[in-house]
Amino acid sequence: MITLTSMRPIYLDHSATTPVCDEALAAMQPYFAEYFGNSSSLHQFGRNAAAALDAARAAVACELGARPNEIVFTACGTESDNLALRGAAFAMRKRNSAKTHLITAHAEHHAVEGTLHQLRDLFGFELTELPVDGYGFVDPDDVRRAMGPNTALVSVMAANNEVGTLQAVGEIGAICRERGVLFHSDAVQCPAYRALDVKQLNLDFMALSAHKFYGPKGVGIMYIRDGAPYVPTNTGGGHERGRRAGTVNVAGAVGAAAALKYVAKRRDVQSARLQALRDQLIAGILADVPDVRLSGHLQQRLPNHASLLFKEVDGEMLLMALDVEGIAASTGSACTSGNPEPSAVLVSMGIAREWALGGLRLTLGYDTTEADIDAVLQIMPKCVERVRRAMQA
Ligand code: PLP
């Protein structure tokens, strides 16, 4: 019998954020107080910081198959998406005033969706939002068919944060390259589980975020292909070769580079290990809890990612019931002033409201053990039953 007191808290929300690995912590440490210089300063303090920044940039580039000058450090994944999409859209319009058509798909992260909606609503760009199927897949042929002579840019995420679906970004990138259209991908959820080669994927822009791969919060990475059209929308000093103004977070960049190396060494072994545990978790829940189904695809998903739909269960109540038991998960539904709305991603996949309101995401990480999964499987049926009973009361 597992009780709260006998259990350490079980963190199954690694898609939200990950702990900083020891390697990143150690690498960053000297750059807070000892080598604290501003990397733009010309004196020795600045030069020390600039040297660390150069090394971090080179290490990140090497892991992504990019050149160091194609890597821009930002403050988060959201900022990388914002800068890339706005920067590319404005640059394309500047080059050719007719190039104002943008393509994306439903089920993107708000960082992409919100930026593209703003480009449409405030700046007059035409936006095509492609449908996704019941698993959340974008059909590359739909991307091809949506392209016209004025298409400037396509943005499709590499892996969906809510349902884990892995998109055919290689295929979509090839179509974009063949048609001379810029390709951006939000790959924030990938690095801990998938190697990313920007050239192989035909990417022009890509967004990453260090805190999703065992690096620090407050550091994003934006890949910009050398020569890709781009107008900086964060204006100010000439930092990051004029592409993102603002004093660079040197310690953060050093930590991001160390974390990327850390996951590169472990991702294959961890992917295989976590996929087995994740499958065990999914199979156990489907077997032991009535009226539950998987959302997203069983195989074509991030190996650490389980997302489930509990019929006629309030996802937030389930999350809280699990939290009381020491299990940290997350839900896809956004509850605004007591009026729960199903997640837009689940709705775009055609999932009915009575299922979509009961969305729960369990994302494993490098520290997840078999004992954690066993404990969750023991506790989950009771929590679901408790919530269902409370909802009927
Ligand atoms: N894109 C995806 C797919 C994400 O999952 C997230 C975070 O959840 C972001 C972008 C935003 O990243 P950040 O938290 O670094 O702004």
Side-chain angles (χ1 to χ4, degrees):
M1 163 82 183
I2 292 171
T3 63
L4 183 60
T5 45
S6 67
M7 230 175 75
R8 72 175 170 98
I10 298 174
Y11 183 76
L12 291 185
D13 201 12
H14 291 84
S15 285
T17 198
T18 54
V20 178
C21 63
D22 290 345
E23 284 79 347
L25 262 182
M28 291 167 77
Q29 213 280 330
Y31 295 96
F32 290 106
E34 196 178 347
Y35 300 113
F36 61 88
N38 184 326
S39 57
S40 300
S41 300
L42 297 178
H43 45 63
Q44 60 171 301
F45 293 85
R47 288 198 306 275
N48 284 338
L53 189 58
D54 285 349
R57 199 185 307 283
V60 168
C62 180
E63 293 300 337
L64 302 177
R67 296 190 200 121
N69 68 353
E70 296 176 314
I71 301 299
V72 173
F73 288 108
T74 68
C76 55
T78 300
E79 188 189 332
S80 298
D81 282 329
N82 271 256
L83 292 181
L85 293 171
R86 237 176 252 118
F90 289 160
M92 286 302 283
R93 181 150 77 181
K94 200 168 145 206
R95 277 190 183 181
N96 176 346
S97 59
K99 289 270 182 190
T100 56
H101 178 222
L102 313 171
I103 298 173
T104 189
H106 289 294
E108 285 290 320
H109 190 272
H110 290 306
V112 168
E113 187 193 50
T115 308
L116 292 175
H117 283 183
Q118 194 193 61
L119 285 166
R120 178 192 63 196
D121 299 341
L122 297 186
F123 297 95
F125 284 84
E126 185 195 343
L127 179 64
T128 301
E129 290 175 277
L130 298 170
V132 294
D133 70 10
Y135 296 117
F137 287 122
V138 179
D139 182 346
D141 282 334
D142 283 350
V143 177
R144 189 194 300 276
R145 278 190 289 268
M147 286 177 174
N150 295 331
T151 304
L153 172 110
V154 169
S155 178
V156 174
M157 73 201 313
N160 187 279
N161 47 303
E162 247 179 87
V163 292
T165 302
L166 294 165
Q167 300 293 359
V169 277
E171 216 178 312
I172 295 170
I175 294 168
C176 291
R177 192 53 50 92
E178 176 197 311
R179 299 287 290 265
V181 170
L182 294 174
F183 182 40
H184 166 268
S185 186
D186 176 331
V188 163
Q189 290 291 338
C190 286
Y193 302 102
R194 283 281 179 279
L196 295 160
D197 185 309
V198 291
K199 305 291 179 225
Q200 257 174 27
L201 296 172
N202 285 307
L203 284 161
D204 296 290
F205 299 91
M206 179 173 71
L208 298 179
S209 178
H211 75 97
K212 306 286 189 182
F213 55 85
Y214 300 89
K217 291 171 187 58
V219 194
I221 292 166
M222 172 170 58
Y223 163 75
I224 308 185
R225 181 182 54 77
D226 207 4
Y230 174 80
V231 168
T233 53
N234 206 42
T235 47
H239 310 88
E240 296 297 270
R241 295 161 62 101
R243 291 167 298 180
R244 191 262 183 185
T247 298
V248 183
N249 174 0
V250 175
V254 168
L260 202 51
K261 283 200 238 171
Y262 168 85
V263 293
K265 277 195 213 131
R266 290 160 179 81
R267 68 165 71 91
D268 289 348
V269 169
Q270 284 286 4
S271 291
R273 188 183 76 85
L274 292 178
Q275 185 161 331
L277 285 183
R278 188 271 320 267
D279 289 349
Q280 218 172 298
L281 177 68
I282 292 173
I285 293 175
L286 294 182
D288 294 345
V289 180
D291 280 332
V292 60
R293 56 188 262 214
L294 185 71
S295 58
H297 197 271
L298 186 57
Q299 281 100 32
Q300 280 296 102
R301 64 190 302 138
L302 288 166
N304 69 322
H305 197 294
S307 54
L308 296 139
L309 304 172
F310 296 85
K311 193 177 181 193
E312 281 157 8
V313 165
D314 179 325
E316 302 245 330
M317 280 173 75
L318 180 55
L319 185 145
M320 296 319 294
L322 289 166
D323 189 42
V324 167
E325 299 288 348
I327 298 166
S330 79
T331 164
S333 68
C335 182
T336 319
S337 59
N339 175 27
E341 279 306 318
S343 114
V345 170
L346 297 178
V347 170
S348 74
M349 289 162 59
I351 290 164
R353 188 181 166 86
E354 77 256 31
W355 285 97
L357 285 172
L360 188 79
R361 179 181 76 176
L362 300 163
T363 45
L364 289 60
Y366 288 8
D367 54 346
T368 306
T369 64
E370 190 159 5
D372 292 339
I373 300 305
D374 290 344
V376 174
L377 286 176
Q378 217 179 317
I379 288 162
M380 184 67 78
K382 291 176 214 153
C383 285
V384 176
E385 198 193 319
R386 208 177 300 149
V387 171
R388 282 192 170 132
R389 251 189 284 117
M391 287 179 66
Q392 278 161 11

